[in-house]
Amino acid sequence: MPPLVFTIAGPGTEYGIDPVSLRAVALDPTTMRAIATDLARSGEAAEDAGQAASRKSQAAFMLATAGAAASAECLLRDALRTQASGPVRPLVVSRLRLVQVLQELGRPAEALSEARAALAAVRSTPALAELEDFALHHNGKALLQAGDKAQAIQVLGEALRLRRHKGGELLIRSSEMAISAAMQDGRADP
């Protein structure tokens, strides 16, 4: 089976998922960092605060994927402050990105707290139903890193069921990979 490769925003922003750690890893970290830096700068110059925050959030995810998680956290925290008073969807997306950044930084308790908050927001807002599989998937990975393997497998299974219902081969394979990794012994933290 070919490796999982996702694209964030066009050429140079491709990333794969490490099958052991479950971390997103840029295929070309140098190019992705450069694109992320440009995107973050364009966020600083944007006239609309919501658009600026969304650009910073996306840039932060790219930075984390390219190995610059500490910089990503600062950018995401800035985006989240702006998004706190706006529409809930961008806020939840940024929180899910923060989950990944916190995991990358080795802070599982904080990652799990953010993941649970994002899932609660998704489940309490009918307009966000399309994000439930993402919220569950990131909850499962956060549970796994926090050491709750049984709960992680259950939650990842819920994400997989939703993804199979929605379709989308890459996301289905991503959840299958996460479940497989969770069932392995002696694996690295996600």
Side-chain angles (χ1 to χ4, degrees):
M1 191 172 284
L4 292 176
V5 176
F6 297 88
T7 301
I8 300 168
T13 64
E14 298 87 359
Y15 68 96
I17 305 295
D18 179 274
V20 176
S21 69
L22 301 177
R23 288 188 169 103
V25 180
L27 299 186
D28 181 350
T30 302
T31 299
M32 190 172 304
R33 274 192 296 274
I35 292 169
T37 300
D38 289 345
L39 185 59
R41 284 187 189 129
S42 78
E44 292 294 334
E47 291 184 27
D48 176 78
Q51 183 182 48
S54 290
R55 287 179 186 172
K56 289 177 184 179
S57 174
Q58 187 176 46
F61 177 66
M62 288 183 205
L63 286 171
T65 302
S71 297
E73 182 183 15
C74 293
L75 206 52
L76 263 173
R77 298 264 184 212
D78 185 41
L80 284 162
R81 277 189 293 278
T82 300
Q83 292 170 328
S85 60
V88 71
R89 189 181 199 291
L91 178 66
V92 168
V93 169
S94 291
R95 285 188 105 153
L96 291 172
R97 289 173 174 158
L98 182 59
V99 170
Q100 293 174 285
V101 168
L102 293 169
Q103 287 180 291
E104 190 70 29
L105 293 169
R107 292 162 40 199
E110 290 175 72
L112 184 55
S113 177
E114 286 293 333
R116 287 178 170 156
L119 181 59
V122 165
R123 287 187 164 163
S124 68
T125 309
L128 298 180
E130 81 279 0
L131 294 177
E132 188 172 12
D133 62 312
F134 287 97
L136 284 164
H137 184 83
H138 290 294
N139 259 273
K141 288 174 44 175
L143 283 161
L144 188 58
Q145 186 184 35
D148 193 342
K149 183 175 171 178
Q151 184 69 21
I153 292 169
Q154 189 259 328
V155 170
L156 289 165
E158 287 181 60
L160 178 58
R161 281 188 291 283
L162 286 175
R163 287 179 168 183
R164 284 183 174 151
H165 179 73
K166 284 173 65 172
E169 177 189 349
L170 286 176
L171 294 177
I172 291 168
R173 287 182 47 213
S174 177
S175 287
E176 289 171 343
M177 178 189 294
I179 291 168
S180 177
M183 295 172 94
Q184 300 296 320
D185 292 326
R187 50 179 291 302
D189 286 340

